[in-house]
Amino acid sequence: MQSDAPRNPPRHVAIVMDGNGRWATARGLPRPAGHQAGVETVRRIVEAAPGLGVETLTLYAFSSDNWRRPTAEVAALMLLLRRFVRAETGRLAEAGARLTMLGRRDRLPGGLAEAIAAAEQATAHGTRLHLRVALDYSARDAILDAARRAAALPALTRDVFARLLSGGDHAAEPAPDVDLLIRTGGEQRLSDFLLWECAYAELLFVPRLWPDFSAADLSDAVAWYAARERRFGGVGAGAPQPAPPPATPVPSAA
Ligand code: IPE
Ligand code: IPE
Ligand code: MG
């Protein structure tokens, strides 16, 4: 298998997929058209990630605060998500990807919750990529929920807490800490995403809007990460840190 993976790839990449609305508005289109275009980006990025050495990819698809959006936009998003999960389940299973969902399931439309449960089951044995989709997700709520469950345990460690945060029980396999967090769309904030898991993540804020984000952009981000010196509170070699990747031309600018 051909691989572009650098020597020191991020094992866990998390992405705040932001900028769909602005992408659509700039084209005189309704905001859901941006979400539709964003779905195509998800396909590209999921396909490209394993070849770059990424083992876990967590995508922020809908925050618990996104319920504040107009009903029509939320409905369009839920429909797109359901279609995406249904359409991609077979392909993900064939590609050896395992899909799991992070976040609250009880407020999702029934059809979407069912599609996700079916996809989780159908892809349960995938080992090439762990694709985690954060839906109706709030990091602060996830921490509260894990804390409540932790209260029943005799002993609590960081590792046990991380397992609870990953959605499993205290004995489940936790997702590793986030190595690289990418936010598209230019905003430099976390918007309640993976607050615990990003404790030492390298943060990359890219101006490109999510529908324009390409596999080459992901590859640039991974190469940028690989050249960084992570110190985890220590001293390190003090080598100069690489500059963020320059924006490559948008491949399909309309
Ligand atoms: C991100 O794009 C997708 C979701 C939050 C679901 P936005 O819809 O936030 O796009 P902008 O930030 O308004 O451009
Ligand atoms: C964060 O984007 C949530 C997702 C990308 C799903 P938002 O567009 O909701 O974040 P804010 O409101 O700009 O902080
Ligand atoms: Mg946004």
Side-chain angles (χ1 to χ4, degrees):
M1 181 188 64
Q2 209 189 348
S3 168
D4 298 330
R7 236 179 305 136
N8 179 31
R11 286 180 65 203
H12 185 177
V13 173
I15 308 184
V16 182
M17 310 184 289
D18 197 24
N20 293 349
R22 280 164 281 164
W23 184 93
T25 304
R27 285 163 177 73
L29 299 168
R31 291 176 55 88
H35 299 314
Q36 170 80 65
V39 169
E40 297 308 319
T41 306
V42 172
R43 284 200 185 96
R44 292 199 289 274
I45 296 311
V46 169
E47 203 178 320
L52 294 168
V54 177
E55 295 167 10
T56 304
L57 178 66
T58 305
L59 301 178
Y60 205 2
F62 190 85
S63 78
S64 294
D65 289 321
N66 288 148
W67 293 113
R68 295 180 185 170
R69 295 187 177 204
T71 317
E73 180 174 343
V74 170
L77 263 165
M78 295 295 153
L79 184 67
L80 279 169
L81 284 163
R82 193 185 73 200
R83 280 194 194 138
F84 172 80
V85 173
R86 281 196 185 150
E88 292 302 302
T89 296
R91 204 187 312 206
L92 289 171
E94 271 170 36
R98 172 163 69 102
L99 182 137
T100 59
M101 184 201 137
L102 276 185
R104 280 183 67 166
R105 295 172 191 241
D106 58 308
R107 299 189 292 194
L108 299 179
L112 175 56
E114 275 166 30
I116 289 166
E120 285 176 328
Q121 211 177 357
T123 63
H125 301 296
T127 54
R128 192 159 177 257
L129 177 74
H130 184 188
L131 173 63
R132 307 196 313 159
V133 179
L135 253 180
D136 195 357
Y137 175 83
S138 151
R140 287 184 295 191
D141 285 347
I143 289 168
L144 272 181
D145 181 58
R148 283 191 199 102
R149 289 190 290 142
L153 299 177
L156 185 59
T157 62
R158 286 180 177 184
D159 194 48
V160 166
F161 198 70
R163 289 164 201 263
L164 296 173
L165 270 181
S166 295
D169 65 20
H170 63 283
E173 185 57 33
D177 277 352
V178 175
D179 297 305
L180 170 62
L181 177 116
I182 303 169
R183 181 171 183 143
T184 60
E187 303 291 0
Q188 303 194 10
R189 55 179 172 249
L190 293 177
S191 302
D192 204 7
F193 191 41
L194 301 176
L195 299 181
W196 168 285
E197 296 89 332
C198 283
Y200 272 101
E202 298 291 329
L203 309 179
L204 183 63
F205 299 101
V206 298
R208 181 152 294 161
L209 304 173
W210 179 247
D212 290 330
F213 194 75
S214 67
D217 292 323
L218 181 66
S219 175
D220 288 349
V222 165
W224 172 79
Y225 167 89
R228 289 192 64 78
E229 180 183 65
R230 301 179 79 191
R231 302 193 188 109
F232 297 101
V235 176
Q241 297 279 28
T248 44
V250 174
S252 60

